[in-house]
Amino acid sequence: MKQILSIDELIEHMEDKGIKFNLVGTREAADFLRHNNYYFKLAAYRSLYPKIPQGKNAGKYQNLEFAYLKELSTIDMHTRYLIIRMCLDIEHAIKVRLIDSATHNQMEDGYEIVRQYFSKEDPNFYPLKTIRNHKSGEYCKDLIAKYYPYFPIWALVEVISFGDLLHLCAFYEKEYQCKIIPNNKLMNTVRDLRNAAAHSNCLLNQLGKKMDDSKQPNGLITAFVRQLNVVGQSSRHNNLQKNFSYDIVTLLYVYDYLIPGVSKKKRIAELHEFMHGRVVRNHDYFRGNNKITGTYVFLDKIIDKLAAKY
């Protein structure tokens, strides 16, 4: 069991690990750890840097400044905020598509699909139990009080989780042979990314991590990148084998599929500005780190093309 360390002890520990304080001094670093972030989260980004393999400093980090970790944590924060905004757009678009389809479906009254969903897909009524547990929440309690447990679809979508919404859409598509969401597996990727961002998990520490050997990039995502025609086959193959790159491109694909033109143009422009602004503000910090710069170049080319397209 590891012993809890004070801020000063953590800084001494980092120095012992080879982390330097030339660009950000120890006093400023201590203030950052005290008020802006905590060591466990900041230390996650160390995985992007190599260790000295041999000699008296073997095992220490090679050319790693505290400033680099600080900058990565800040970029990661802004990345999570953008992901959440994009996922909120996606969630709203899915609800609009689902309700519009049900409204124009002559075999639907808005209640029958919900009855069928619970009886066939979830006989234990797990979503209803979850809704009941949230009936005291200020923003949904009136809706729950009015409809529970016999929800029409337009009310149900307002009180279920994103994961349950995807499940409901998949059931509706199967029942009526129509298309609401692009692909279940891709939507699960978006859901996982959304949840990670919403829970403030580190994302950028995954830049160099490859998919498990049992997994392969979805063909729709590979084709999406190929059709944009901005990266070569080798770059496409290598980057789509990495978790973070693949998840971000999947988010972009789903966003492109679901979001109307004006809204899409605005959000992609925001993302483009982020990539050419805040992300590269201290680009010198990452020169020579191919895990970071290679991923940036790959995603930047895709986002540039999408921004020009819209």
Side-chain angles (χ1 to χ4, degrees), residues 75-302:
I75 294 172
D76 208 355
M77 174 192 70
H78 290 295
T79 301
R80 289 193 297 269
Y81 292 163
L82 265 170
I83 288 170
I84 289 171
R85 290 198 289 271
M86 292 178 74
C87 288
L88 286 173
D89 292 343
I90 287 170
E91 184 171 5
H92 178 71
I94 290 172
K95 291 177 181 179
V96 170
R97 289 167 66 94
L98 179 59
I99 301 306
D100 181 67
S101 180
T103 300
H104 292 91
N105 187 341
Q106 294 182 356
M107 294 181 287
E108 258 305 323
D109 60 2
Y111 289 84
E112 180 60 24
I113 188 64
V114 176
R115 286 193 292 268
Q116 292 297 321
Y117 171 66
F118 286 130
S119 64
K120 293 181 180 179
E121 291 291 303
D122 197 354
N124 293 320
F125 301 104
Y126 174 77
L128 281 179
K129 294 175 182 177
T130 303
I131 291 167
R132 187 173 59 200
N133 292 336
H134 292 90
K135 66 181 180 180
S136 60
E138 288 297 324
Y139 300 102
C140 291
K141 67 179 183 180
D142 292 342
L143 198 60
I144 295 172
K146 181 176 181 178
Y147 291 108
Y148 188 90
Y150 304 110
F151 288 93
I153 194 169
W154 54 84
L156 182 66
V157 298
E158 298 300 317
V159 293
I160 58 176
S161 70
F162 186 60
D164 287 336
L165 174 64
L166 297 180
H167 195 196
L168 175 62
C169 286
F171 178 76
Y172 183 92
E173 289 178 337
K174 184 171 65 175
E175 287 292 298
Y176 292 116
Q177 299 299 305
C178 62
K179 203 69 178 165
I180 305 296
I181 53 179
N183 178 284
N184 287 337
K185 289 184 178 180
L186 299 185
M187 293 310 305
N188 287 339
T189 297
V190 172
R191 179 203 61 204
D192 292 346
L193 188 60
R194 171 192 183 272
N195 290 345
H199 289 287
S200 196
N201 297 149
C202 293
L203 303 178
L204 297 186
N205 65 322
Q206 298 290 317
L207 289 181
K209 189 173 181 180
K210 291 189 175 182
M211 289 181 175
D212 294 338
D213 292 338
S214 60
K215 297 180 180 178
Q216 289 294 325
N218 188 283
L220 290 171
I221 301 303
T222 302
F224 175 65
V225 177
R226 185 190 303 115
Q227 289 164 8
L228 291 174
N229 195 30
V230 291
V231 296
Q233 180 180 356
S234 176
S235 175
R236 182 176 68 244
H237 173 79
N238 290 336
N239 281 283
L240 291 182
Q241 291 286 343
K242 296 175 183 176
N243 290 327
F244 179 78
S245 300
Y246 177 77
D247 289 355
I248 293 297
V249 174
T250 300
L251 177 65
L252 291 169
Y253 171 82
V254 171
Y255 202 86
D256 183 60
Y257 182 98
L258 289 173
I259 306 301
V262 174
S263 300
K264 180 160 49 183
K265 180 178 180 179
K266 180 179 178 182
R267 190 69 75 200
I268 296 299
E270 182 182 7
L271 183 56
H272 182 264
E273 182 181 354
F274 173 61
M275 292 292 286
H276 288 265
R278 184 60 189 87
V279 173
V280 294
R281 181 182 296 174
N282 293 302
H283 60 89
D284 286 346
Y285 286 4
F286 309 120
R287 184 174 285 124
N289 188 317
N290 291 330
K291 287 182 181 178
I292 298 172
T293 59
T295 302
Y296 172 81
V297 170
F298 173 73
L299 293 176
D300 184 54
K301 287 180 178 179
I302 292 173

